[in-house]
Amino acid sequence: MDFNKILIRWFSDNKRDLPWRRTKNPYFVWLSEIILQQTQVKQGLTYYEAFVNQFPSVFDLANATENDVLKLWQGLGYYSRARNLHASAKHIAFNLNGAFPKNYNGLLELKGVGDYTASAIASICYNEPKAVVDGNVYRVLSRYFGVETPINSTKGIKEFKDLATTLIDHNQPGDYNQAVMEFGAIQCKPKNPNCIKCPLNTSCKALKDNIIPNLPVKLKTTKVKTKFFNYLVIKTNTQYTILEKRTKKGIWQNLYQFPLIESEQNIEELFIREHNTLKNIVGKENFDITKYNEKPYIHKLSHQHLHTTFWIIESNINYRDSIHIKNIRKYPTPILIANFIEEFFD
DNA sequence: AAGGCGGGGAT
DNA sequence: ATCCCAGCCTT
């Protein structure tokens, strides 16, 4: 039997019952695909439910503020997805009168929609035979066909896309695409795949050659940078604090945080000297600063390790642009800040 | 072509 | 620790 027939059969027998598989409405499919970019189903599921619940249509999403969208996205990471999702919702609602692009090429014009997502939506919603190539597809195809081209090389990207295109089932492209991905997620896993009970184990090239653990081939990863974050957490006697919006490009764009002193080097010693000086100048009766966490929290991102110290500033000064602490949870923040807020306030 | 962009889960 | 996850965008 053909590769794709076996996979589609396997899919119909083993697929998980997921909410976005119960609809072909492009709004819901689009929403699920954006949420699932670089995100496991288990992690994305609750966010999908929350978005469907709070924004039942593209118009509801379009009419929300970016702060609201980012707040609902909080904790999911890769926040450009949320900003692009919102921008595209406004475009669809207000420029296209709520009508989704009706094919791969039209979908590709949406912000945050690349080859993978356009192929997924076009195949699932419109039966367009565009093959998806995500991390699962790279793994399944590289193993089954024994392809050793690095998946993150220009050559590999084209080679796997072409291979996937020759394999797609033209009668049920959406089911085929989802079948390969589900197969990669559940059966042909990165570590310890269960090849003993695999429906493809009689024809899998990598299994035959005993090189399953070597595939797919991926070129070297980027190295991690260390940065030092000192957050100034103001708490006034009238229960006000200060949050600032990260407007610059880079991590956490448009999310909120406490005033931050960021450095490439550890400035703890300098910081302690200066904050003692500050206490003496301002006067301890109006202003007291203490270190909250004795050991820095190390917040690990995929490409940065943030050594973070929170400094508590108790003060009876009225600051401009301060917010009442009872409103602090309305602001979208990085999970690092959200966790601190839950621990420190009330 | 290379690097930036999150946070959580599996091993 | 290291790798991976229904990738996309900028430089």
Side-chain angles (χ1 to χ4, degrees):
Chain A
M1 193 157 42
D2 290 343
F3 176 78
N4 62 4
K5 296 298 181 200
I6 293 176
L7 279 181
I8 289 172
R9 172 66 61 85
W10 177 91
F11 182 59
S12 81
D13 291 344
N14 296 282
K15 67 180 173 187
R16 292 167 287 184
D17 181 20
L18 301 171
W20 49 84
R21 290 192 175 144
R22 295 167 169 260
T23 176
K24 293 196 171 185
N25 181 321
Y27 171 64
F28 296 118
V29 174
W30 169 61
L31 185 56
S32 73
E33 293 297 347
I34 301 299
I35 287 173
L36 292 174
Q37 287 169 4
Q38 292 292 287
T39 302
Q40 296 190 344
V41 166
K42 184 191 289 184
Q43 189 189 4
L45 193 50
T46 58
Y47 285 85
Y48 176 81
E49 301 282 18
F51 268 82
V52 168
N53 186 48
Q54 186 161 334
F55 306 121
S57 78
V58 71
F59 295 100
D60 298 308
L61 182 55
N63 285 319
T65 64
E66 186 180 272
N67 268 4
D68 288 338
V69 177
L70 285 170
K71 185 64 192 179
L72 209 54
W73 199 272
Q74 180 177 297
L76 197 53
Y78 285 154
Y79 296 94
S80 66
R81 290 183 292 169
R83 299 191 302 269
N84 288 333
L85 183 80
H86 186 229
S88 291
K90 294 174 80 133
H91 174 64
I92 293 164
F94 305 139
N95 297 337
L96 306 180
N97 297 315
F100 260 78
K102 289 256 175 301
N103 54 45
Y104 169 87
N105 286 323
L107 291 161
L108 205 50
E109 293 176 11
L110 299 175
K111 279 187 185 177
V113 174
D115 176 71
Y116 162 78
T117 304
S119 298
I121 300 171
S123 64
I124 293 169
C125 300
Y126 308 137
N127 284 316
E128 196 174 340
K130 292 286 186 180
V132 297
V133 184
D134 73 334
N136 294 304
V137 177
Y138 281 123
R139 188 167 53 255
V140 172
L141 297 190
S142 68
R143 287 175 175 172
Y144 184 78
F145 294 99
V147 181
E148 302 184 37
T149 315
I151 61 172
N152 54 345
S153 65
T154 303
K155 184 165 179 283
I157 291 169
K158 175 170 169 39
E159 193 172 330
F160 280 97
K161 179 74 179 183
D162 290 346
L163 176 56
T165 300
T166 67
L167 296 167
I168 196 167
D169 187 308
H170 284 246
N171 291 320
Q172 27 189 348
D175 283 344
Y176 166 77
N177 276 337
Q178 293 187 77
V180 189
M181 293 191 285
E182 187 81 337
F183 185 77
I186 293 179
Q187 171 70 37
C188 195
K189 296 180 294 185
K191 305 288 183 188
N192 307 320
N194 189 356
C195 300
I196 303 296
K197 43 168 276 192
C198 171
L200 295 171
N201 61 9
T202 59
S203 45
C204 176
K205 179 78 158 54
L207 181 60
K208 178 161 156 281
D209 295 347
N210 200 25
I211 55 171
I212 291 280
N214 304 341
L215 294 176
V217 175
K218 200 170 181 180
L219 297 176
K220 64 178 189 302
T221 60
T222 63
K223 55 178 180 289
V224 178
K225 276 186 66 175
T226 295
K227 288 185 180 173
F228 298 88
F229 278 18
N230 286 284
Y231 278 116
L232 307 181
V233 182
I234 291 160
K235 186 178 181 189
T236 73
N237 59 320
T238 52
Q239 300 300 305
Y240 278 77
T241 190
I242 293 179
L243 288 183
E244 297 176 340
K245 189 173 184 173
R246 292 182 65 99
T247 54
K248 289 186 304 210
K249 295 178 65 171
I251 59 167
W252 304 331
Q253 188 182 3
N254 291 4
L255 274 64
Y256 291 79
Q257 63 182 9
F258 301 103
L260 168 66
I261 297 171
E262 176 182 342
S263 59
E264 303 287 330
Q265 302 297 324
N266 190 344
I267 56 168
E268 184 100 338
E269 293 300 322
L270 173 69
F271 205 89
I272 290 170
R273 272 208 310 279
E274 293 304 321
H275 97 254
N276 282 328
T277 305
L278 202 55
K279 273 200 242 180
N280 292 334
I281 292 173
V282 180
K284 231 182 161 206
E285 62 278 8
N286 293 326
F287 184 96
D288 192 26
I289 177 167
T290 56
K291 183 156 68 166
Y292 177 72
N293 50 318
E294 192 50 43
K295 295 178 64 176
Y297 298 130
I298 303 178
H299 186 69
K300 294 181 177 181
L301 309 179
S302 49
H303 53 294
Q304 291 183 42
H305 287 182
L306 308 178
H307 293 241
T308 306
T309 303
F310 291 93
W311 301 84
I312 311 302
I313 298 174
E314 295 187 274
S315 161
N316 58 14
I317 297 167
N318 288 324
Y319 298 96
R320 287 176 41 222
D321 300 323
S322 60
I323 66 164
H324 200 283
I325 288 171
K326 71 173 161 50
N327 294 325
I328 197 170
R329 289 174 182 79
K330 295 179 181 174
Y331 294 82
T333 67
I335 206 65
L336 169 69
I337 302 299
N339 288 341
F340 171 82
I341 288 172
E342 288 311 308
E343 193 177 311
F344 180 67
F345 289 105
D346 79 25

